[in-house]
């Protein structure tokens, strides 16, 4: 998944990463973009990420506390937005996608690898078992339903790939739909 994200954003100038956590994606993406803003809602996660970044001397990245539901960036600021493994957890996915679309340039890309909790009967069983032990899934997507929700919220899917695993990841790259109105 990290390799796919890195390939998607390689060479982009200004990139926003939402829910960067401790930096699984950040540490690789920062090597292939001009400027990265890595955000998370948790100051503790950003503290760990900042330490990891400092150890690797990455000067082209800044970390910030940010909530995807109310991004404090100007319209059309970013050439790419990454939201890895977060969208299935959001109770207001249309609201989050509206914010992402707002800060993304018209020719920008959205890179959203997302756990496919609904990909098969087996993944649905695994997902529900995880929910019992506290994994807070809001939406159980498969590849088709995830593409549909992106399209219903103003994105045109460019590419979709499935990364196999106990819970597969549907990796979608999309762009803002031209002329799309809410």
């Amino acid at each position: 998944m990290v390799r796919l994200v890195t390939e998607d954003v390689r060479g982009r100038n200004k990139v926003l990463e939402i829910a960067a956590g401790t930096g699984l994606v950040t540490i690789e993406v920062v090597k292939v973009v001009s400027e990265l803003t890595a955000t998370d809602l948790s100051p503790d996660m950003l503290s760990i990420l900042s330490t990891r970044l400092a150890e690797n001397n990455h000067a082209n990245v800044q970390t910030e506390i940010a909530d995807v539901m109310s991004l404090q960036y100007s319209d059309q600021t970013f050439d790419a937005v990454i939201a890895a493994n977060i969208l299935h957890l959001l109770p207001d996915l249309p609201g989050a996608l509206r914010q992402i679309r707002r800060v993304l340039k018209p020719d920008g890309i959205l890179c959203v690898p997302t756990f496919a909790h609904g990909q098969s009967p087996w993944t649905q069983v695994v997902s529900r078992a995880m929910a019992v032990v506290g994994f807070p899934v809001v939406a159980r997507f498969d590849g088709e339903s995830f593409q549909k929700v992106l399209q219903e919220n103003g994105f045109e899917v460019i590419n979709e790939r499935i990364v196999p695993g106990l819970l597969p990841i549907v990796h979608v790259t999309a762009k803002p739909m031209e002329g799309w109105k809410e």
Side-chain angles (χ1 to χ4, degrees), residues 118-137:
Q119 191 67 23
S120 70
W122 170 249
T123 59
Q124 291 175 27
V125 168
V126 170
S127 176
R128 292 191 192 291
M130 291 172 69
V132 169
V133 296
F135 191 76
V137 175

Side-chain angles (χ1 to χ4, degrees), residues 152-167:
E152 289 172 347
N153 287 280
F155 288 95
E156 178 183 334
V157 174
I158 300 168
N159 197 350
E160 183 240 15
R161 294 164 276 194
I162 301 293
V163 178
L166 181 61
L167 274 178

Side-chain angles (χ1 to χ4, degrees), residues 47-61:
S47 177
I48 294 167
L49 175 56
S50 294
T51 300
R52 289 184 75 192
L53 291 167
E55 291 168 355
N56 292 289
N57 298 318
H58 294 295
N60 62 327
V61 63

Side-chain angles (χ1 to χ4, degrees), residues 18-21 40-41 45 67-69 83-97 100 112-118 127-128 130-131 133-141 146 149 167 170:
I18 295 166
D40 203 284
L41 199 52
M45 292 287 195
D67 181 352
V68 67
M69 301 310 299
N85 293 326
I86 186 69
L87 298 184
H88 63 285
L89 302 174
L90 301 176
D92 181 10
L93 184 53
L97 291 171
I100 290 169
V112 283
T114 300
F115 283 115
H117 290 262
S127 176
R128 292 191 192 291
M130 291 172 69
V133 296
F135 191 76
V137 175
V138 173
R140 288 183 171 81
F141 296 113
F146 189 55
V149 77
L167 274 178
V170 58

Side-chain angles (χ1 to χ4, degrees), residues 2-180:
V2 174
R3 180 182 55 79
L4 294 174
V5 172
T6 303
E7 288 172 10
D8 283 347
V9 300
R10 182 178 303 280
R12 297 284 174 159
N13 289 325
K14 285 189 76 154
V15 177
L16 173 65
E17 182 182 8
I18 295 166
T22 60
L24 173 70
V25 173
T26 314
I27 294 298
E28 296 303 317
V29 166
V30 72
K31 299 173 187 175
V32 301
V33 301
S34 299
E35 181 183 327
L36 176 64
T37 303
T39 68
D40 203 284
L41 199 52
S42 166
D44 293 338
M45 292 287 195
L46 288 178
S47 177
I48 294 167
L49 175 56
S50 294
T51 300
R52 289 184 75 192
L53 291 167
E55 291 168 355
N56 292 289
N57 298 318
H58 294 295
N60 62 327
V61 63
Q62 59 185 8
T63 59
E64 298 179 358
I65 294 173
D67 181 352
V68 67
M69 301 310 299
S70 59
L71 295 173
Q72 300 300 311
Y73 305 103
S74 299
D75 294 358
Q76 300 181 5
T77 298
F78 296 98
D79 300 299
V81 174
I82 302 165
N85 293 326
I86 186 69
L87 298 184
H88 63 285
L89 302 174
L90 301 176
D92 181 10
L93 184 53
L97 291 171
R98 188 170 32 258
Q99 283 292 306
I100 290 169
R101 199 176 53 256
R102 182 184 63 75
V103 301
L104 193 58
K105 292 179 180 177
D107 62 345
I109 62 161
L110 171 62
C111 182
V112 283
T114 300
F115 283 115
H117 290 262
Q119 191 67 23
S120 70
W122 170 249
T123 59
Q124 291 175 27
V125 168
V126 170
S127 176
R128 292 191 192 291
M130 291 172 69
V132 169
V133 296
F135 191 76
V137 175
V138 173
R140 288 183 171 81
F141 296 113
D142 60 21
E144 186 178 324
S145 64
F146 189 55
Q147 286 188 54
K148 183 178 179 187
V149 77
L150 291 172
Q151 291 166 348
E152 289 172 347
N153 287 280
F155 288 95
E156 178 183 334
V157 174
I158 300 168
N159 197 350
E160 183 240 15
R161 294 164 276 194
I162 301 293
V163 178
L166 181 61
L167 274 178
I169 295 172
V170 58
H171 178 92
V172 174
T173 308
K175 64 181 184 177
M177 282 184 188
E178 193 173 319
W180 190 82

